[in-house]
Amino acid sequence: MHRDPDPSAACTHAHCDVIDAEAVQSRARSYAASKGTRFTPTRQRVLALLAATGKPIAAYEIAEKLSGSRKVQAVQVYRALEFLQEAGCVHRLASRSAFFACDHRHGEGETVVFMVCSQCGAVQEAASDLVARGLRGAAKTTGFRPRHPMIEVEGECAKCAGESVS
Amino acid sequence: MHRDPDPSAACTHAHCDVIDAEAVQSRARSYAASKGTRFTPTRQRVLALLAATGKPIAAYEIAEKLSGSRKVQAVQVYRALEFLQEAGCVHRLASRSAFFACDHRHGEGETVVFMVCSQCGAVQEAASDLVARGLRGAAKTTGFRPRHPMIEVEGECAKCAGESVS
DNA sequence: GGGTGTAATGTAATGTTATAACGTATGGCG
DNA sequence: CGCCATACGTTATAACATTACATTACACCC
Ligand SMILES: [Zn+2]
Ligand SMILES: [Zn+2]
Ligand SMILES: [Zn+2]
Ligand SMILES: [Zn+2]
């Protein structure tokens, strides 16, 4: 997600950009250190799966994919996801009740837009100052104090839009 | 929701603005007429409840509240909500999986911001052209074709913010 | 090494939100 | 009335998420 397409990338999935697994893992690791907690194997496995998948997937899907001889229960996945979201490595997409990895370092108070392709499901992120200003303006007229904006736009990514035209 | 506060309004709930039930019902009625469908009693009851409640409530909560001698099943509520959303009388709040009535007439392609108070749960709506432009700008940089934006901002409404200060 | 306390996990059950399937009823229309 | 589409009633199930509680793993100190 949210990286320039790289034709040489190891992704076999035409519509999924790959995220920087190294970067995102190291972020999780330092978050854990800063909180006196651990970046445990389960958390690592969930994050690695999300990073490799490159688009939003459901928690139960993660549980299934990680289940081998030992079955991974949904509750374990939710626990890992909670940690990873706090660490800023993973976002939840409310419109789909799905989770995806993010290798951005979002600044505090940054207003991020999730653009979700209705064809392939891939998500692109973009920070927009203009949107942020618009939200502040909208809030001002009613005296509302904005805290946590959530912006999800459904549409078609460049690849899918291109294909449907051809 | 989304009306100027009116101290003379019949709302006993300090934090819930009341919506124009008449207007919203007539909108549902004309939508039904235009589609050759009906604004049936169940649909009327769901809409009336939402209008009177003035803030988002869950589908199962609607079912409970409407249940008297005859129990109203969730599936009936979801069916009514589907109709009402198509009619533009009701929105779904993804961040809370809840539904609320709306007496706005949103223009086609209008970008609406839902501002949800984390204290009292009330929702205010505002259309923002600036946000719309921001979204178009963000989309442009990646070639994304936006279709259906969904913008939900959590924060504190003027009333609750005022109270917490005092 | 052994004791202690917190973080994390395992396991089972339950809660919450949403839809599928299918037969019945209703209402408009010719 | 007979037909057709819409809507409803009922049951079941899918999909998403959390609670509760017993147990284990780990860092820390002695
Ligand atoms: Zn991100
Ligand atoms: Zn796509
Ligand atoms: Zn509205
Ligand atoms: Zn409030």
Side-chain angles (χ1 to χ4, degrees), chain B residues 22-122:
Chain B
E22 297 282 327
V24 83
Q25 283 195 340
S26 99
R27 186 134 45 90
R29 210 178 308 280
S30 31
Y31 174 78
S34 79
K35 299 290 265 190
T37 61
R38 281 165 285 155
F39 185 38
T40 62
T42 304
R43 292 166 179 178
Q44 290 172 36
R45 295 216 295 150
V46 170
L47 181 55
L49 176 59
L50 286 176
T53 301
K55 61 180 177 181
I57 54 177
Y60 275 75
E61 209 177 331
I62 297 172
E64 262 187 54
K65 294 229 167 91
L66 292 185
S67 289
S69 50
R70 288 276 179 284
K71 167 137 185 166
V72 176
Q73 301 296 139
V75 64
Q76 305 175 252
V77 174
Y78 280 107
R79 290 198 275 228
L81 288 170
E82 188 182 358
F83 168 87
L84 294 168
Q85 286 177 267
E86 282 168 6
C89 302
V90 164
H91 299 301
R92 177 174 184 271
L93 205 59
S95 57
R96 302 195 163 198
S97 296
F99 301 84
F100 63 100
C102 158
D103 58 4
H104 284 151
R105 297 171 302 288
H106 298 298
E108 194 63 37
E110 189 179 81
T111 298
V112 181
V113 178
F114 298 149
M115 289 170 284
V116 188
C117 178
S118 46
Q119 305 291 313
C120 69

Side-chain angles (χ1 to χ4, degrees), chain A residues 45-91:
Chain A
R45 294 216 295 150
V46 170
L47 181 55
L49 176 58
L50 286 175
T53 302
K55 62 180 177 181
I57 54 177
Y60 275 75
E61 209 178 331
I62 296 172
E64 264 186 53
K65 294 227 167 90
L66 292 185
S67 288
S69 49
R70 289 275 180 283
K71 167 136 187 168
V72 177
Q73 302 295 139
V75 66
Q76 305 174 254
V77 174
Y78 282 107
R79 289 198 276 227
L81 288 170
E82 189 183 357
F83 169 87
L84 294 168
Q85 286 178 266
E86 281 168 8
C89 301
V90 164
H91 299 300

